[in-house]
Amino acid sequence: MDCRRVEKIFVESGRTDAVNGHLAQCPRCKEALGAYDALVSSLAKESPLDPVMEDRILGRVLAAEVEPVEPPARRLPLWPFGAAVAAAAVLSLFVLRPPAPAPRIPRVLERTGALAVGDVDLSDEVIVPVKSRMTVDFDRGLVVAFGPNTRATAPRLESGMLLLPLSTGVVHVRYDRAPSDPPLTVKTPAGRVTVVGTVFSVAQQADRFSVRVDEGVVEVETAGRTRRLAAGEVIGDLEPAPPLPGSGARLGRLMLFGAAEEVRVDGRRVELPAALALQPGRVTIEIGDRTRDVRIEAGKTVRLALSKVAPAPEPVPESEPAPKAAPRPAPKATPPAPVDLETLYERAEAALAARETTRAVRLLRRISRRDPNGPTGALAEFEIGRIHAGRMRHRAAKVAWNRALKRGLTEPLASEARLGVCAAELALGRVKEARACVEKLEGAPAVAFRAAVVEGQLSCLEGRFDRAEQALAKVKARPKSDLAARLVIARIRCDLARGDREGAARKLAKLEADFGGTSWERQIRSLRAALDPKKSRK
Amino acid sequence: MATKLAGVLSAAKLAPVEPPPEPAFDFSGFYRETVSRVHHRLRILTGPGDHLEDLVQQTYLELHRSLPRFRRECRLTTFLTRITINVALQHRRRNERKPPPELSIEEVEIGGEADQDTKVMAARAVEALGKLPEPLQVAFVLYEVEQQTLEEIAAATGTSISTAHARVKKAKRKLLKELRRRG
């Protein structure tokens, strides 16, 4: 065999015996294919990604304010609008006050509910999504709670003054200022609030500016006028500040990632998303009814990824000591408790929704293993069978459905599973087994029509075309319904079994017109291949 | 629980699988599952370097932006593949005047113990791959390296299955020819 022919076989079918036989004789081809194999294996090897970089990228992606992409608008000639735009611009300079930028909600964060902030440092921009809150304990005795839908810059030292720029949203501040500490100013587009040792809140919502003082005195400067506000006084309308934790040296930091419903740190409830500054030492974190010991070290960030957990028990009254985990000899984290079946099932559903079928099957298998004799395990096996059937893996589907039936799957799902087994046997070409299976289905009203379709197809394979016609004639299907697709497919297969290729091609064209590009596409392709194997050889 | 499962399952048909309505999407989880593969794919298509971190970030930002437009006509991973390819190709076009990135022999990683000759061969093959036109490179990487099906490649590259198949074959043929020429 010459080298060109071998190359062609390799390109079409990979390393066949013929190719390997040639390689034993031809050093040139051997070298080229050796380099080819070395290329594939070198490219296939994934180098592990640096976890720090992985976290850094995720933090930046989640913190980014993302606008959905809109389709580009059609460009229109601009000259007719020129005069109107110019007039409006001049008018706005004199008459209209320029509106403050509307708060832009980071939509992605709103949707995912994920953390908006990475490790907050001085001068970092802080973006807190809607329905979220973040409390940061900065150095210098300053604690700032950023409210929902807030965009601000973390405080920075500027001209001997701590400056906290607030673009939009609400900040609640506690500033335990020592005499040597610089004064703090919250700066918004509409004004500045300067304080010396106090608890207060500032809000900038579109063009509305509000200040509320809970302790001490602040100086408010708006439109060139300065005014002093004492404790209890309010400009605008603003809710009182939530209880802010006392300040502490920012030596360690704890970040919580994930969808936990309630997290407690040393018995104190923590709202997510949160980045907590904690004193060094060991901290007990309670997640639902589980606890974890974490060591907080100076200057280190501890990250916890939390999965969704059951709601935590009722909060403990303040008079009682906060519940703590029993001390452990080593500061290592305890292994997480096993995930309950319901959570696993929810994850499997989510995976199915995202069309991650392999992951869904893996999760369902876990459920099946965890509940080998119970109803949930049977349901999981039933689901596995459905997924396999959707991917045309008939043997695997059959095994899963038989397992579900053995575990006592109840009606009407049991009939569905039996029908699925029959259809799988039919697809595998095991006519005898399919016949035995279909006979067991008689008298199951829930699957009567679909059973008739299977019966029709089976009779065709057995060569009993009259019986097949009778069975298929019983089926009443709505146009463009799944049952209608099944019926047409059965008729096409009958035509093929009968040798009526023209009839099959006509029906296939109609099937393509009605169901092309839908989830029936795979079936259509397989029929097309059966009709014209040369064209569809891929 | 049982009622919920029964409700979900009774609505189910045998095939194909219908997704439940309005699923909750866990972006962070999806990121953690896929980031390593995205990074690897970008490394193959654009070469090693500091730019990879930016490209990975850009890929996921694009995914964020495009999620509202995602119509669930393909798997999300396929959608991500498409974005990754676009990001990689954009990067290459931006830097097309610069010399193409090349893997040094030290950077070639082969599973298991590999001798120096194998590494040299692989480095030569990587160079040959760089000579292929972009669409062929993409098809080759997805098919041979990532073992994706033709359907998935077609969905990821926005072509028909037959085009994807033709590209894979052409890539293999050209690559072999180039390797023979260099050998």
Side-chain angles (χ1 to χ4, degrees):
Chain A
M1 201 184 288
D2 67 315
C3 298
R4 287 174 69 86
R5 173 90 184 120
V6 167
E7 186 182 308
K8 197 173 176 193
I9 295 173
F10 176 73
V11 167
E12 292 283 347
S13 323
R15 285 225 178 197
T16 59
D17 290 345
V19 174
N20 287 333
H22 176 79
L23 292 186
Q25 302 160 7
C26 177
R28 199 159 160 257
C29 287
K30 192 178 175 185
E31 193 183 347
L33 285 185
Y36 184 93
D37 288 347
L39 168 74
V40 173
S41 59
S42 72
L43 294 183
K45 187 165 188 296
E46 277 186 33
S47 48
L49 189 61
D50 178 14
V52 179
M53 181 170 122
E54 189 180 319
D55 288 347
R56 195 167 54 222
I57 295 173
L58 180 62
R60 286 206 300 254
V61 170
L62 294 181
E65 194 166 356
V66 179
E67 294 280 335
V69 178
E70 297 293 339
R74 194 178 154 205
R75 195 182 170 91
L76 293 171
L78 293 177
W79 64 267
F81 305 106
V85 171
V90 170
L91 188 69
S92 67
L93 277 177
F94 292 100
V95 179
L96 302 173
R97 206 176 140 205
R104 292 160 68 193
I105 301 165
R107 294 175 190 211
V108 168
L109 303 174
E110 187 188 355
R111 186 167 57 247
T112 61
L115 270 185
V117 284
D119 199 355
V120 179
D121 283 320
L122 293 183
S123 300
D124 273 357
E125 188 168 38
V126 177
I127 303 169
V128 180
V130 291
K131 296 180 187 172
S132 302
R133 186 183 292 281
M134 188 183 76
T135 306
V136 181
D137 185 349
F138 294 98
D139 259 342
R140 304 168 192 276
L142 172 66
V143 179
V144 183
F146 298 90
N149 197 16
T150 294
R151 192 184 179 115
T153 307
R156 62 170 183 263
L157 259 179
E158 202 173 284
S159 315
M161 179 178 281
L162 258 183
L163 195 66
L164 171 56
L166 170 69
S167 308
T168 183
V170 184
V171 290
H172 308 286
V173 182
R174 171 186 286 278
Y175 187 31
D176 299 328
R177 180 183 173 238
S180 59
D181 285 339
L184 170 76
T185 295
V186 178
K187 187 182 165 193
T188 78
R192 299 162 73 98
V193 183
T194 304
V195 298
V196 182
T198 189
V199 178
F200 70 105
S201 308
V202 182
Q204 178 74 44
Q205 308 281 12
D207 55 354
R208 212 172 68 229
F209 172 66
S210 318
V211 183
R212 178 191 182 97
V213 182
D214 295 318
E215 286 175 24
V217 178
V218 301
E219 268 185 13
V220 183
E221 184 188 328
T222 47
R225 286 174 54 198
T226 305
R227 185 182 157 190
R228 287 178 86 88
L229 280 189
E233 287 189 304
V234 182
I235 294 178
D237 52 337
L238 194 56
E239 295 289 311
L244 296 174
S247 63
R250 197 190 67 159
L251 296 170
R253 184 174 293 275
L254 173 72
M255 296 190 67
L256 303 165
F257 287 88
E261 283 163 5
E262 186 165 307
V263 176
R264 288 162 182 271
V265 177
D266 275 346
R268 187 162 54 86
R269 184 177 167 169
V270 176
E271 284 189 41
L272 290 180
L276 299 179
L278 298 168
Q279 297 286 2
R282 212 172 64 194
V283 173
T284 305
I285 297 174
E286 301 163 28
I287 306 159
D289 54 352
R290 286 174 277 145
T291 58
R292 240 179 114 171
D293 277 0
V294 176
R295 175 174 287 280
I296 305 288
E297 288 177 38
K300 293 277 172 67
T301 297
V302 179
R303 291 163 195 272
L304 286 181
L306 307 172
S307 58
K308 195 168 181 181
V309 295
E314 288 296 309
V316 181
E318 281 183 6
S319 54
E320 294 179 22
K324 295 216 174 184
R328 291 174 174 78
K332 283 183 185 171
T334 55
V339 186
D340 60 274
L341 288 178
E342 191 170 354
T343 309
L344 275 178
Y345 209 95
E346 278 172 9
R347 284 187 199 166
E349 282 175 348
L352 261 184
R355 308 261 169 131
E356 302 281 357
T357 43
T358 310
R359 190 163 153 251
V361 168
R362 210 166 48 234
L363 289 163
L364 288 166
R365 283 218 176 102
R366 270 177 75 188
I367 297 172
S368 171
R369 277 198 299 273
R370 292 264 296 276
D371 187 25
N373 299 312
T376 315
L379 286 173
E381 287 293 342
F382 177 80
E383 276 288 282
I384 292 171
R386 282 184 58 232
I387 294 169
H388 284 317
R391 299 168 85 183
M392 311 279 277
R393 292 180 178 170
H394 303 294
R395 202 177 300 276
K398 192 181 81 172
V399 169
W401 278 324
N402 275 331
R403 212 177 280 153
L405 287 168
K406 207 183 269 180
R407 291 180 184 188
L409 190 70
T410 51
E411 291 293 346
L413 297 181
S415 293
E416 296 269 4
R418 270 186 221 109
L419 177 68
V421 172
C422 299
E425 296 282 20
L426 193 61
L428 292 168
R430 294 155 53 104
V431 178
K432 268 189 194 171
E433 287 80 358
R435 168 59 60 200
C437 177
V438 165
E439 277 166 10
K440 280 186 206 163
L441 273 177
E442 281 174 10
V447 294
F449 284 157
R450 276 177 286 160
V453 172
V454 175
E455 164 71 45
Q457 260 178 280
L458 187 58
S459 299
C460 282
L461 283 182
E462 290 168 339
R464 297 191 284 183
F465 297 110
D466 291 344
R467 187 172 169 171
E469 268 312 313
Q470 279 175 11
L472 294 177
K474 279 185 206 166
V475 181
K476 290 172 189 163
R478 277 183 292 112
K480 299 202 175 179
S481 63
D482 281 354
L483 188 59
R486 286 200 177 96
L487 188 59
V488 180
I489 289 168
R491 286 189 190 284
I492 294 171
R493 292 208 183 277
C494 269
D495 284 350
L496 287 173
R498 210 183 283 145
D500 179 8
R501 302 183 77 81
E502 277 183 20
R506 212 170 38 246
K507 289 186 184 96
L508 181 59
K510 188 172 181 316
L511 184 71
E512 280 185 289
D514 286 350
F515 295 96
T518 66
S519 47
W520 291 98
E521 186 63 41
R522 198 187 284 246
Q523 292 263 14
I524 292 171
R525 269 207 305 279
S526 120
L527 287 172
R528 207 184 291 138
L531 252 178
D532 194 353
K534 275 187 190 169
K535 263 191 184 174
S536 313
R537 213 181 104 240
K538 274 201 267 292
Chain B
M1 167 72 184
T3 319
K4 189 183 170 196
L5 293 185
V8 169
L9 295 173
S10 63
K13 294 165 192 162
L14 280 180
V17 178
E18 294 289 334
E22 295 194 14
F25 176 60
D26 172 17
F27 185 85
S28 303
F30 181 73
Y31 169 85
R32 302 254 180 229
E33 276 177 25
T34 53
V35 66
S36 173
R37 196 183 301 169
V38 166
H39 180 264
H40 182 61
R41 193 177 292 149
L42 288 167
R43 186 171 180 272
I44 293 174
L45 292 174
T46 64
D50 295 339
H51 65 281
L52 284 175
E53 185 173 344
D54 290 342
L55 292 187
V56 173
Q57 183 182 326
Q58 195 187 337
T59 303
Y60 282 95
L61 277 173
E62 290 289 337
L63 179 68
H64 261 311
R65 286 201 188 98
S66 311
L67 272 176
R69 291 184 300 144
F70 179 53
R71 289 175 300 199
R72 296 185 171 274
E73 286 171 357
C74 62
R75 292 169 60 191
L76 190 56
T77 43
T78 308
F79 189 57
L80 178 65
T81 304
R82 191 168 185 162
I83 293 174
T84 313
I85 292 167
N86 287 341
V87 167
L89 296 186
Q90 278 167 12
H91 172 82
R92 282 169 57 149
R93 282 166 202 159
R94 268 200 306 272
N95 298 293
E96 63 188 357
R97 287 187 184 178
K98 293 180 188 172
E102 284 180 11
L103 283 177
S104 66
I105 292 173
E106 288 71 31
E107 283 171 326
V108 173
E109 292 168 4
I110 299 178
E113 291 293 314
D115 56 14
Q116 190 68 6
D117 287 350
T118 316
K119 283 196 166 190
V120 171
M121 270 203 292
R124 214 176 63 207
V126 169
E127 210 181 317
L129 180 66
K131 303 277 180 202
L132 293 185
E134 280 173 358
L136 301 192
Q137 271 186 46
V138 170
F140 177 83
V141 168
L142 295 182
Y143 187 81
E144 281 288 48
V145 180
E146 298 193 5
Q147 303 280 313
Q148 293 199 17
T149 62
L150 290 176
E151 264 182 305
E152 286 167 334
I153 297 170
T157 51
T159 58
S160 67
I161 295 178
S162 54
T163 307
H165 189 221
R167 282 183 183 173
V168 170
K169 283 204 294 188
K170 201 170 177 183
K172 284 166 100 173
R173 205 177 299 128
K174 283 202 164 195
L175 195 58
L176 278 176
K177 196 175 169 188
E178 184 70 24
L179 289 173
R180 274 181 204 282
R181 197 180 62 77
R182 285 161 185 255

